[in-house]
Amino acid sequence: MDPMSEHRLNPVPEEKPCCNLSKNAKNCVGILCVVVVVTIVAVVVGVLKWGQARKHKEWNGKGTTPHFPEIVLGRCYTYTQVKRPELSNKDCQEIAKVFQKAFLSKDPCLSVEQDYQPLMELTRQAIPCSKSLFWSKSNELAHQYTRIQQEMFTLEDSLLGYIADGLTWCGDAGSSEMNYQSCPHWRKDCLNNTVSVFWDTVSRQFAENACGVVQVVLNGSHSNTFDKNSTFGRVEVHNLQAEKVPTLQAWVMHDLEGAHRHTCSSSLINDLKVILSTRNISFTCEDNYRPIRLLQCVKNPEHSFCSSVK
Ligand code: 2NF
């Protein structure tokens, strides 16, 4: 018998539905399947996200500045290519990489000066003698001054200070990523945190490298015009080198609208003078140094102190 006739004799039965579910019931099964799949996906994503958020320790300070790597790289190029092209041979890619290596995969409360040594080597920069300007409690005013007097340098006007100013960063011993959620607060968590150790390290080096007559802008309207626990009082003053730095000149500035808490003749300023004399560095002090007072007056020209600025 030819196979075709056999086929005709025993026709293949038409495919039957596997079970006798109504159309509505089948729709229900379909919807249930979708719900189950969506729930599983949601749970997996949730667990992964929770794991990510949990993998870093929680601290009391702000987390790493968003886009930290991009900001570091961008600031490095801005400084070396635009602001100070004499430093255009610096390798910004390497600087950004070495900066991150200083703190990634490490406990952010066990930071040490050596962590930042490779970064300091890469960003080495000579500041001309008699052009270093220190500040304490006078961040804004000191930088308004160096913006005009461009040959003067605060730490934040140097390459490494410029790159890091105002940023926060930290990693975690248990992860190779940055902690964007929180970082240790220097008062509430630990002193040896990534950011404080960085500023202590670069401030020490900035003071050690200073030469010639150096200046400091102090805030006479602040209760702690000279603060022994500030970076200036704790680190910088003690690391000026008497062989290179004959004199520190202090300018004690009063806010136009603020109190006159301390002047050059206050005992706090005398404390500074005493520390310097034991280190064989001479000290001079001037209240309301005129070039900086003039800057204050640009902002507030109608103030009575400003009509009499000589
Ligand atoms: O963020 C900076 N640019 C910075 C931070 C610390 C130190 C710069 N510095 C360098 C500058 F070059 C100045 O010469 O030290 C000098 C100013 O520091 P200062 O402590 O003498 O002055 P303050 O007005 O008391 O403090 C400046 C800023 O630093 C913070 C403080 O909250 C303020 O925002 N700061 C002070 N000590 C610490 C610390 N141990 C600190 N932040 C973290 N850890």
Side-chain angles (χ1 to χ4, degrees):
M1 208 193 308
D2 86 291
M4 285 307 285
S5 54
E6 187 184 19
H7 194 242
R8 272 193 302 275
L9 288 173
N10 301 308
V12 176
E14 246 179 56
E15 251 185 55
K16 273 192 187 170
C18 66
C19 35
N20 294 329
L21 290 177
S22 71
K23 208 175 169 191
N24 274 352
K26 277 191 271 176
N27 282 345
C28 278
V29 172
I31 290 170
L32 201 67
C33 280
V34 171
V35 169
V36 169
V37 169
V38 168
T39 310
I40 291 172
V41 169
V43 168
V44 169
V45 169
V47 166
L48 286 177
K49 286 219 154 185
W50 181 74
Q52 256 181 2
R54 294 263 322 160
K55 82 180 165 215
H56 294 302
K57 250 181 116 165
E58 281 174 24
W59 304 102
N60 292 297
K62 274 196 300 186
T64 301
T65 308
H67 308 291
F68 178 87
E70 293 86 356
I71 294 173
V72 167
L73 198 58
R75 285 186 179 181
C76 181
Y77 280 123
T78 301
Y79 191 93
T80 57
Q81 302 299 321
V82 184
K83 277 174 77 80
R84 307 266 174 196
E86 63 273 21
L87 294 183
S88 62
N89 59 342
K90 297 284 183 199
D91 184 345
C92 286
Q93 297 285 347
E94 187 66 9
I95 287 170
K97 196 172 100 192
V98 166
F99 196 159
Q100 289 168 55
K101 214 173 155 204
F103 66 92
L104 286 183
S105 306
K106 297 182 184 177
D107 184 329
C109 273
L110 296 178
S111 213
V112 287
E113 288 215 351
Q114 289 90 301
D115 292 339
Y116 292 107
Q117 285 311 319
L119 179 61
M120 308 250 288
E121 296 292 322
L122 280 177
T123 52
R124 196 179 286 277
Q125 176 181 13
I127 305 296
C129 290
S130 302
K131 301 296 178 195
S132 300
L133 182 77
F134 298 89
W135 58 269
S136 196
K137 323 286 181 213
S138 55
N139 190 343
E140 199 184 328
L141 198 53
H143 290 105
Q144 282 169 353
Y145 179 67
T146 58
R147 228 187 137 145
I148 307 273
Q149 286 294 342
Q150 294 226 344
E151 79 278 14
M152 299 287 293
F153 285 80
T154 63
L155 176 55
E156 296 75 20
D157 296 314
S158 74
L159 173 59
L160 191 48
Y162 179 84
I163 289 175
D165 193 25
L167 303 182
T168 305
W169 61 91
C170 69
D172 198 301
S175 153
S176 58
E177 281 164 31
M178 298 191 206
N179 187 347
Y180 288 102
Q181 268 83 45
S182 64
C183 287
H185 187 277
W186 61 292
R187 287 190 215 269
K188 295 179 194 160
D189 294 308
C190 57
L191 271 178
N192 289 337
N193 65 77
T194 41
V195 177
S196 297
V197 170
F198 170 88
W199 285 113
D200 280 6
T201 307
V202 295
S203 299
R204 183 176 61 73
Q205 198 201 39
F206 186 63
E208 267 175 16
N209 290 345
C211 53
V213 176
V214 298
Q215 277 91 23
V216 62
V217 182
L218 297 174
N219 184 348
S221 296
H222 194 283
S223 54
N224 253 340
T225 299
F226 172 63
D227 178 358
K228 284 182 178 165
N229 297 316
S230 69
T231 314
F232 176 67
R234 184 173 45 82
V235 179
E236 291 170 335
V237 168
H238 300 280
N239 282 286
L240 293 170
Q241 305 295 305
E243 320 83 68
K244 292 191 290 176
V245 178
T247 307
L248 174 84
Q249 293 180 332
W251 299 324
V252 176
M253 303 304 303
H254 295 119
D255 297 342
L256 288 178
E257 307 287 352
H260 290 197
R261 291 175 192 272
H262 296 285
T263 64
C264 286
S265 38
S266 295
S267 66
L268 272 184
I269 300 296
N270 197 51
D271 293 346
L272 172 58
K273 186 178 174 170
V274 170
I275 294 173
L276 288 165
S277 73
T278 62
R279 307 205 58 242
N280 290 324
I281 295 172
S282 73
F283 176 73
T284 67
C285 185
E286 189 173 335
D287 288 313
N288 295 318
Y289 176 62
R290 186 167 174 269
I292 299 187
R293 178 39 57 102
L294 289 170
L295 283 175
Q296 293 173 310
C297 285
V298 170
K299 244 187 163 175
N300 196 347
E302 302 308 323
H303 196 280
S304 57
F305 293 161
C306 295
S307 54
S308 61
V309 175
K310 288 184 235 91

